[in-house]
Amino acid sequence: MSKNNNIEDMLSQLINMVAAIQVEHKEMKQALEGMHQEQKEMKHAFEGILQEQKEMKRVQQEMQNKIQEIETKAEERHKEILDQLTALKHDQDFIWEKTVRHEREIHAIKMKLS
């Protein structure tokens, strides 16, 4: 009977060990499922961040295009103003030359009349 008791004790210990392993396995499976859920949430958040980043890059590109367009227009206007100033300078030089010539002619006429 002692041998039977020994076997029963060993069987009882074995059953307890299997039950403990099953409980531990169940807990590990639940923990793993929790980790999978967290991983899915992190992946979803990461995808959101990537989408925001793409939107920011698109907005940044639009801003760069606008800045380039503004710079181009500013350069064109600057050139137009310089061209107009150059034309005004040529006109002024021409008027001064003409004025000086007229002054000389007037002086020459005055000299002849006096």
Side-chain angles (χ1 to χ4, degrees):
M1 216 185 237
S2 164
K3 203 174 189 186
N4 280 344
N5 263 350
N6 231 359
I7 292 176
E8 285 179 12
D9 286 343
M10 286 173 57
L11 211 58
S12 175
Q13 284 179 346
L14 187 59
I15 291 171
N16 286 337
M17 285 173 59
V18 168
I21 289 173
Q22 284 179 336
V23 167
E24 191 175 313
H25 180 263
K26 186 178 179 181
E27 289 173 353
M28 287 173 57
K29 188 175 179 180
Q30 287 175 343
L32 185 61
E33 287 173 0
M35 287 171 43
H36 278 124
Q37 184 61 33
E38 287 177 5
Q39 188 180 26
K40 285 180 185 177
E41 291 170 1
M42 289 172 60
K43 185 177 179 182
H44 181 70
F46 183 69
E47 288 170 353
I49 290 170
L50 286 176
Q51 186 61 34
E52 287 179 20
Q53 185 181 26
K54 285 179 184 178
E55 179 64 17
M56 289 172 63
K57 284 182 178 180
R58 185 188 65 76
V59 169
Q60 183 182 23
Q61 185 62 44
E62 285 179 6
M63 290 174 67
Q64 286 176 342
N65 292 344
K66 285 280 187 187
I67 289 171
Q68 184 62 41
E69 184 181 322
I70 289 170
E71 286 177 348
T72 301
K73 285 182 181 179
E75 287 176 20
E76 289 172 0
R77 289 181 183 144
H78 179 73
K79 186 179 179 320
E80 286 175 17
I81 290 171
L82 285 178
D83 290 345
Q84 289 176 356
L85 287 174
T86 301
L88 288 172
K89 172 111 174 67
H90 291 308
D91 288 349
Q92 182 184 16
D93 289 345
F94 177 74
I95 291 169
W96 279 109
E97 279 180 36
K98 205 167 189 178
T99 303
V100 167
R101 196 172 336 122
H102 288 161
E103 287 293 325
R104 286 183 184 149
E105 289 174 1
I106 291 171
H107 180 69
I109 292 170
K110 280 184 181 177
M111 293 303 274
K112 285 182 183 178
L113 291 177
S114 28

